[in-house]
Amino acid sequence: MTAILAPDTQGVAEAAALIRGGGLVAFGTETVYGLGADAGSTAAIARLYAAKGRPAHNPLISHFADAESAFAEVDANPAARALAAAFWPGPLTLVLPVRDGGGICAAARAGLPSAAVRVPRGDVLAGLLRACGRPVAAPSANRSGHVSPTQAAHVLADLHGRIDAVLDTGPCAVGVESTVLDLCGRPRLLRPGGISLAAISEVIGPIEGGLSEGASDTDAPGDGVLRAPGMMASHYAPSLPLRLGARDVAAEEALLGFGPDAPAAALALNLSPAGDLDEAAHNLFAYLRAIDERALAAGKSCIAVWPIPHTGIGLAINDRLRRAAAPRPGGR
Ligand code: TXA
Ligand code: MG
């Protein structure tokens, strides 16, 4: 049984009690819904990997109410402190060396000597994390390989009966996951996300993996983004295949459009008719789910996706679309 909790004092208290007791609770962040568990409990982390069907070599992000509690677990350097001051709370994850005797268990780090930490935005979530009083590991609250959830209903569609509760904090504002930056050595981009490279570079200067902004999106996988461990080519997958960069729509296709020049066909959704990338990111995963369902019901065999500009949060959108379109192990 999966309980649905309201984002009020009682709901937050119940969610915190479940997490402290080793349970699994999904909650909204500003990016996507996360599936939270006590990052210090090997048993809770094992349950979390099992519920998602996530490979054990893919490490988790630990979430904190503030930078001070995050930096109690990892060794912050000046770049980390500057980025935390600029972007936390917000959609930026920092990978840093773990401190000895810290509260993030080896299983949550996939055995690595580093840990990914972030301080998400939102008062309800900050209250929950404070009430937990420990690092809370939270991968996106979907079955491994599926489309990430940006609404409580998406979480239930994937994980109902497999987790203890969902704290329904409403739709997620940003809509794509956090930017993941490795700061263990020279700064390296591991995953484009909610904070743009340009914004990061303004704080700490140019970074590796930062060459792709504004560049063509057709030269993947040599797009300059270094992959985090466990990140798979095929991910975020709807059931129908995607055709990226489409400038037309065939009879057997539905359309996921972007901008004013995408056709408004009967079986089309437009991520942002005005061509606004933030709006497109916000709608991305919900529209990907919806167009997949509608296209399947209408007997279509493919989803054409209009080109998305490769700049700012467009890098994150194109990264997710590319992995949604990638061939899957074992076929469809
Ligand atoms: O926006 C987000 O980041 C969401 C919300 C729920 O916070 N979470 C999320 O988690 O996207 P997940 O598990 O889907 O992605 C975590 C990413 C993976 O690509 C993983 O490889 C990387 O972070 N990661 C975690 N720990 C790492 C480490 N020690 N070194 C390198 N990469 C790491
Ligand atoms: Mg994920």
Side-chain angles (χ1 to χ4, degrees), residues 9 199 209 232 278 308:
T9 314
M232 291 154 287
D278 288 326
I308 312 277

Side-chain angles (χ1 to χ4, degrees), residues 27-35 52 54 57-63 91-93 95-96 108-110 112-118 120 138-142 148 176-180 182 184 188 190-191 227-231 235-236 320 323:
F27 46 75
T29 78
E30 79 280 43
T31 59
V32 301
Y33 270 75
L35 180 56
K52 274 187 63 98
R54 182 178 175 109
H57 65 271
N58 191 357
L60 306 171
I61 298 171
S62 289
H63 296 63
L92 177 67
T93 292
V95 175
L96 290 161
R109 296 181 267 116
L112 294 170
S114 60
V117 298
R118 95 174 184 97
S140 50
N142 51 278
S148 299
V176 292
E177 294 87 345
S178 61
T179 303
V180 182
D182 183 352
C184 292
R188 298 185 312 152
L190 299 181
R191 179 178 73 184
R227 302 294 173 211
M231 270 181 99
H235 208 114
Y236 308 102
R320 307 310 186 262
R323 285 190 280 140

Side-chain angles (χ1 to χ4, degrees), residues 30 67 79-94 118-122 178-179 181 183 194-205:
E30 79 280 43
R81 292 191 187 279
L83 289 167
F87 299 117
W88 281 355
L92 177 67
T93 292
L94 303 177
R118 95 174 184 97
V119 176
R121 201 154 68 203
S178 61
T179 303
L181 198 62
L183 293 178
I195 299 283
S196 76
L197 282 176
I200 291 170
S201 300
E202 269 178 37
V203 178
I204 60 165

Side-chain angles (χ1 to χ4, degrees), residues 140-220:
S140 50
N142 51 278
R143 296 269 199 130
S144 186
H146 285 198
V147 178
S148 299
T150 53
Q151 300 171 19
H154 300 163
V155 176
L156 293 170
D158 259 28
L159 296 173
H160 193 263
R162 301 176 71 86
I163 63 177
D164 296 297
V166 184
L167 186 66
D168 186 352
T169 44
C172 302
V174 176
V176 292
E177 294 87 345
S178 61
T179 303
V180 182
L181 198 62
D182 183 352
L183 293 178
C184 292
R186 282 207 293 150
R188 298 185 312 152
L189 178 71
L190 299 181
R191 179 178 73 184
I195 299 283
S196 76
L197 282 176
I200 291 170
S201 300
E202 269 178 37
V203 178
I204 60 165
I207 61 170
E208 271 181 63
L211 301 176
S212 51
E213 184 142 15
S216 153
D217 186 41
T218 54
D219 48 6

